[in-house]
Amino acid sequence: MESELKDLNSKPAKIQQPDTTHDDTSSKDDRPLLKADSSSTAAAAAAANIHELEKKFAAYVRNDVYGTMGRGELPLKEKIMLGISLVTLLSLRIVFGMSLVVVYYLICRICTMFSAPNQEEEEEGYAHLGGWRRAVIVRSGRFLSRSLLFVVGFYWITETHKDSANTKENSKTEGTHQLEEQERPGAIVSNHVSYLDILYHMSSSFPSFVAKRSVAKIPLVGLISKCLGCVYVQRESKSSDFKGVAGVVTDRVREAHHNGSAPMMLLFPGTTTNGDYLLSFKTGAFLAGAPVVPVILKYPYQRFSPAWDSITGVRHVVFLLCQFVNHMEVTHLPTYYPSQQEKDDPKLYANNVRRLMATEGNLIMSDIGLAEKRIYHAALNAAINPGS
């Protein structure tokens, strides 16, 4: 990838530096989102100067007509359109959407009958199933995921596949090219804009991904996540044999790289943004040194942004379902084959892939994360609900 990285150096990606004054909040990562703490200095600062916080936390700022946290004053035309959608579209989409989820749950239930799930602490699931069971789970899952996106209003999805001709070094021999082309990627790395990202990737490649342990216990969704082969985050585990998420992800990436029947891992860079920014990747997807497939998702909008940044989940779902049409653009970059230097240095590998994605997707790189997002959410709550 040396020639490609030289090209990237000639047009460096845009970078937003993190605000280091809030590093002491990293220990609060387990606090729930969107709950303001009256004693929080961040909330007080937000009430005093919300515009200054928006500059610091630009990756999470909403820019659509619905305003901050989806609570802005709407134009009369938008109010009328929203009212019509609430009466006509919302209930229909909820019914059809839930029907698709129930149908897929029943398919997963039938396919996993009389089969024991993986019992490893972080990998309880049915990704190991083979034969007709796995084929039915994957094919029906891809079809129903795309159907659910259609129900939500994504009638057309624009997909672009970039040519791989320019991603390999000119100095490599023909034999090396052929060897690379035979190598199967171990992971998909994607920017993270919304929960809708998962539905798209399910419809496209049906990968496994990292999820909270609590997801496995959610009715309907829990079994579906197990059939996807999710790796569950269990932060409270203190056992001596706890491998950690990074170790499990590395094993799964390596397995997918060498085993064509194993599902690839899908890795996102931290939390969701407003779609204009790309956060830092953790090194878990890159420790195995396997090739990865970079994918860039964008959600063009005129009224409501599908990005799940600084808005509550219920409010976001309601407004999303009330949009007559939603749009999605997907760019599939060529498989990224790491150099030996990148294999030896996973952090370098992750940073180079991130730079490539930022350049190709015209995204701004930002090193802020979940802790800063929680500060911003608390500040918004304090500003909007000063008496709470």
Side-chain angles (χ1 to χ4, degrees):
M1 304 299 298
E2 291 178 2
S3 61
E4 182 180 2
L5 293 177
K6 290 178 181 177
D7 292 337
L8 290 179
N9 288 331
S10 64
K11 48 174 183 175
K14 293 172 285 186
I15 302 175
Q16 181 196 36
Q17 296 298 329
D19 178 45
T20 56
T21 60
H22 299 288
D23 287 347
D24 59 341
T25 60
S26 59
S27 61
K28 301 180 181 179
D29 274 3
D30 291 331
R31 293 184 301 169
L33 288 174
L34 301 173
K35 291 186 178 179
D37 184 355
S38 59
S39 64
S40 170
T41 58
N49 196 341
I50 192 69
H51 295 293
E52 183 65 26
L53 283 172
E54 287 183 345
K55 293 179 181 178
K56 296 178 181 178
F57 307 131
Y60 309 127
V61 176
R62 292 191 71 81
N63 299 307
D64 59 9
V65 297
Y66 284 75
T68 302
M69 298 186 76
R71 299 182 184 183
E73 181 64 28
L74 296 177
L76 178 60
K77 179 181 178 181
E78 185 64 28
K79 290 180 179 178
I80 294 174
M81 296 179 68
L82 181 60
I84 295 174
S85 300
L86 285 170
V87 175
T88 58
L89 274 181
L90 182 60
S91 57
L92 288 175
R93 284 180 167 173
I94 290 176
V95 170
F96 282 114
M98 286 303 301
S99 298
L100 290 174
V101 173
V102 170
V103 167
Y104 189 51
Y105 169 81
L106 294 175
I107 291 174
C108 291
R109 176 60 66 190
I110 293 172
C111 290
T112 56
M113 288 179 64
F114 312 112
S115 297
N118 247 339
Q119 294 300 324
E120 293 189 28
E121 192 170 22
E122 302 86 17
E123 296 186 86
E124 178 186 355
Y126 297 94
H128 65 286
L129 292 179
W132 67 270
R133 295 173 184 264
R134 184 63 184 171
V136 171
I137 288 174
V138 172
R139 292 176 184 175
S140 60
R142 294 181 64 176
F143 174 77
L144 292 174
S145 297
R146 182 62 187 92
S147 300
L148 185 54
L149 285 172
F150 185 89
V151 168
V152 173
F154 293 93
Y155 306 122
W156 304 275
I157 296 178
T158 303
E159 297 187 84
T160 303
H161 294 262
K162 290 291 185 74
D163 187 8
S164 62
N166 297 324
T167 66
K168 298 176 182 177
E169 300 173 30
N170 296 329
S171 60
K172 291 182 178 179
T173 64
E174 182 177 353
T176 305
H177 286 304
Q178 293 175 351
L179 177 62
E180 282 191 347
E181 290 172 356
Q182 294 174 358
E183 290 188 36
R184 183 177 189 252
I188 299 168
V189 289
S190 172
N191 63 320
H192 203 10
V193 185
S194 173
Y195 48 81
L196 298 164
D197 303 347
I198 296 174
L199 281 178
Y200 170 76
H201 286 292
M202 284 180 64
S203 69
S204 175
S205 53
F206 206 79
S208 301
F209 57 92
V210 177
K212 293 182 180 179
R213 166 59 65 178
S214 58
V215 172
K217 300 178 182 179
I218 299 177
L220 304 180
V221 175
L223 178 61
I224 294 174
S225 71
K226 293 179 181 180
C227 288
L228 276 162
C230 288
V231 175
Y232 297 110
V233 177
Q234 187 168 322
R235 296 170 183 167
E236 68 275 13
S237 177
K238 303 296 183 181
S239 60
S240 59
D241 60 344
F242 181 65
K243 297 172 62 177
V245 176
V248 176
V249 168
T250 300
D251 291 343
R252 291 286 294 274
V253 170
R254 188 176 291 114
E255 179 185 6
H257 176 46
H258 296 292
N259 181 2
S261 62
M264 286 195 292
M265 286 296 302
L266 168 64
L267 279 302
F268 293 118
T271 186
T272 53
T273 69
N274 59 15
D276 297 327
Y277 290 78
L278 182 63
L279 305 184
S280 298
F281 284 108
K282 294 184 178 180
T283 57
F286 307 92
L287 289 171
V292 297
V293 179
V295 178
I296 303 169
L297 303 179
K298 291 194 173 185
Y299 297 85
Y301 64 91
Q302 293 181 347
R303 298 161 55 210
F304 177 77
S305 170
W308 191 26
D309 36 37
S310 56
I311 182 173
T312 61
V314 173
R315 185 179 293 268
H316 187 278
V317 170
V318 171
F319 288 160
L320 179 74
L321 295 181
C322 286
Q323 301 302 302
F324 292 98
V325 180
N326 290 297
H327 302 277
M328 183 188 301
E329 295 178 354
V330 184
T331 301
H332 296 262
L333 299 183
T335 301
Y336 190 108
Y337 297 93
S339 65
Q340 187 59 49
Q341 184 182 9
E342 290 170 324
K343 291 180 180 179
D344 295 337
D345 187 350
K347 187 174 182 179
L348 174 66
Y349 185 7
N351 288 338
N352 287 344
V353 172
R354 182 187 179 210
R355 286 179 56 202
L356 173 65
M357 293 177 64
T359 302
E360 294 292 336
N362 195 27
L363 301 173
I364 304 170
M365 295 196 297
S366 175
D367 292 324
I368 61 177
L370 186 58
E372 289 82 2
K373 188 174 189 178
R374 286 182 168 126
I375 294 172
Y376 181 55
H377 284 175
L380 292 179
N381 272 290
I384 295 176
N385 306 301
S388 61

